Amino acid sequence: MNKKSLYTIIIFIVLASLDNAAIAILPAITRLVAVRLLGNEYLEGYVLNLVSIMTFIIAFTSFVWGYWGDKYPRKKLLLYGTVIWVVMCFLTYFSLNYVMLAIFQIFAGIGLGAIASVGFSVIVDFVSANRRGLALSLWGLSQAAGTMIGYLIAVLFAADFGWAYPFLVISIVSVGFIIAYFFTEEPKRGAKEKELQKLFEEGKLYEYRIRRQDLKDIITNRSNIWLILQGAFAQVGWGAIAILPSIFGHKLSLYGFTVDQGQEVGGLIAALFQLGGIFSILFGWLGDKLQKRTLKGRSIISAFGVFTGIPLFITMLLIPYNFDTTSFSDPISFVFGQLASNPLFLIAFICSVFAAMMMSADSPNFFALVGDVNLPEHRGTLFGLTNFTNGIGRSLGPFILSGFQILLTPIVGFELSWVYGMVFIQFFFLATGIFFLLTARAAPHNIREVKKTLESRARQEI
């Protein structure tokens, strides 16, 4: 890999991280926005509805951007999308009411949809199939890191400088990477496919582009069906987990924390609980290794990770923290002090890290499977389609969580209803594991079909 290709990958990974940081800010401050813009924390549901709408917008536009990315030059598309969301996040800082916030965030969602699907197809064309899991684990990890950065920005700036300040910070930081983006390169489609190497050695290019009639082949591909379904169910869970800082804020209210203190400490706890996601690199590497032995390898590792993570996450939610607010001075020293002195909180933290670690097996192997079972000119579209269906699931997550919360409030009270609602949400991940097992049955055939088609096309062009 030459230096410019490496530089391009780094810039794309950073942009993916900033993209997810921007997405994570609003869910992290829903309670604070409700208090500041709507005047009542009990109107938090309106902010959650905006989170759901924005998630749906990102998902739908991701499919459109992905289709365009399989048809047109991807570098320009990524630039357009990035500029749109950065400008809209900057304008969000000037929102004076809920309507202005909604308008700016919805338009930001249109730009944010480009990064996932178009960026994915670019990364896949820079790495070979044998290293796809490891490379995409770094890409996926950058998104998890972006989520954590978004939480931290919200924690560090929202309470002290105003709820809108995090949007200003993320937009200013992103401008520098927009400038750096101009020096990246446009990858050759299919350049790292083993079956196409002789074609590129002859100085020719892989000229196939998606056609409208190809959409039927994409959605009837058996592996794609199971990958789409697993993502949709998983994202119901992840959609609810996106507001974990606010969930922790409600739980902390039981120990006497104010809204601002709960927002700060809850956001920091949620960010720390993301640390297990770094193990996606390990699971991406293991997926590459196991995939060489059996074409079911990536699917099996993903299913194992999901099934193992569910009980750990539920345990983390239900363990009482027994915090003493008299020792609170600032969120960072308080949280780390509790880790050193509060055994129950330490156990919850360990469970959460291992839950995030096991769940991290999903994303790199899912990304790699999308590349494995689809032709080069179909990957952006399929990834955009999974983002669309994922977005439906992700947007339903807060709605379903709110439904559980309403049903549980008379039983366990307002604050705990959010916690137990999150517990019930975790059972959507069971379906995710089952669909990965079904993918394990279908993937070998689809992978062999892709290889056969690429070999045939290469022979025809040489």
Side-chain angles (χ1 to χ4, degrees), residues 248 267 417 455:
F248 285 133
S417 64
E455 288 172 351

Side-chain angles (χ1 to χ4, degrees), residues 163-457:
W163 68 267
Y165 204 80
F167 294 101
L168 178 64
V169 172
I170 196 66
S171 59
I172 291 175
V173 171
S174 300
V175 169
F177 287 95
I178 290 178
I179 296 171
Y181 182 79
F182 283 97
F183 302 98
T184 60
E185 67 175 342
E186 177 84 27
K188 297 177 181 178
R189 203 178 303 269
K192 294 297 181 179
E193 301 298 329
K194 180 181 178 181
E195 295 76 16
L196 299 177
Q197 290 311 298
K198 289 185 179 180
L199 178 69
F200 286 102
E201 288 171 3
E202 292 284 334
K204 298 180 180 180
L205 296 176
Y206 182 78
E207 300 288 359
Y208 288 85
R209 297 294 182 268
I210 193 170
R211 302 167 299 170
R212 189 171 298 176
Q213 54 265 40
D214 292 344
L215 293 174
K216 180 180 178 181
D217 295 331
I218 292 172
I219 62 176
T220 56
N221 179 310
R222 188 62 61 87
S223 295
N224 287 345
I225 292 172
W226 301 133
L227 289 172
I228 289 170
L229 287 173
Q230 72 80 24
F233 277 84
Q235 290 303 318
V236 172
W238 291 118
I241 289 173
I243 61 171
L244 201 57
S246 293
I247 301 296
F248 285 133
H250 287 292
K251 187 171 183 176
L252 294 175
S253 295
L254 298 171
Y255 303 105
F257 285 82
T258 65
V259 171
D260 286 346
Q261 289 173 340
Q263 193 72 58
E264 291 176 337
V265 176
L268 182 57
I269 292 172
L272 288 174
F273 285 173
Q274 300 287 328
L275 290 175
I278 195 171
F279 285 91
S280 65
I281 297 174
L282 171 64
F283 285 111
W285 177 78
L286 286 174
D288 288 339
K289 293 295 183 182
L290 190 56
Q291 193 74 1
K292 292 177 182 178
R293 297 185 179 184
T294 169
L295 296 180
K296 300 179 179 182
R298 301 192 199 279
S299 305
I300 292 172
I301 287 179
S302 297
F304 174 75
V306 170
F307 285 137
T308 307
I310 293 171
L312 290 168
F313 199 90
I314 291 175
T315 302
M316 178 274 290
L317 288 168
L318 296 181
I319 288 179
Y321 296 162
N322 293 344
F323 284 160
D324 180 6
T325 56
T326 59
S327 62
F328 182 84
S329 56
D330 65 87
I332 295 176
S333 60
F334 177 80
V335 169
F336 283 98
Q338 291 296 314
L339 284 173
S341 62
N342 187 332
L344 287 175
F345 183 58
L346 178 60
I347 292 171
F349 175 74
I350 293 171
C351 286
S352 72
V353 170
F354 275 94
M357 179 181 77
M358 299 311 299
M359 290 288 193
S360 73
D362 180 344
S363 61
N365 290 293
F366 163 75
F367 295 147
L369 279 166
V370 170
D372 289 345
V373 302
N374 288 279
L375 293 167
E377 70 274 18
H378 292 171
R379 289 165 183 165
T381 301
L382 188 277
F383 192 76
L385 180 58
T386 60
N387 262 4
F388 176 54
T389 54
N390 286 358
I392 294 174
R394 197 174 182 87
S395 61
L396 286 175
F399 281 118
I400 295 173
L401 175 62
S402 297
F404 282 132
Q405 181 267 323
I406 292 170
L407 293 173
L408 291 167
T409 294
I411 303 172
V412 298
F414 177 71
E415 307 294 358
L416 278 179
S417 64
W418 292 97
V419 176
Y420 283 99
M422 185 69 83
V423 170
F424 283 108
I425 285 287
Q426 299 312 301
F427 289 97
F428 281 89
F429 285 114
L430 284 175
T432 297
I434 293 171
F435 287 129
F436 266 126
L437 292 179
L438 292 170
T439 304
R441 296 178 60 183
H445 169 73
N446 293 127
I447 292 171
R448 284 190 284 265
E449 285 296 307
V450 167
K451 291 179 178 294
K452 187 186 301 182
T453 300
L454 292 178
E455 288 172 351
S456 174
R457 289 177 175 179

Side-chain angles (χ1 to χ4, degrees), residues 25-61:
I25 290 173
L26 184 59
I29 56 174
T30 54
R31 194 181 188 190
L32 195 59
V33 172
V35 173
R36 299 292 186 265
L37 281 188
L38 300 175
N40 193 328
E41 68 173 294
Y42 290 97
L43 296 177
E44 186 179 359
Y46 286 97
V47 187
L48 286 175
N49 289 342
L50 176 57
V51 171
S52 295
I53 292 169
M54 184 180 171
T55 302
F56 180 81
I57 294 292
I58 293 171
F60 176 75
T61 56

Side-chain angles (χ1 to χ4, degrees), residues 136-163:
L136 290 171
S137 71
L138 294 172
W139 189 70
L141 181 61
S142 74
Q143 297 178 63
T147 299
M148 184 162 62
I149 290 169
Y151 286 164
L152 289 174
I153 290 174
V155 168
L156 294 174
F157 295 106
D160 292 334
F161 298 96
W163 68 267

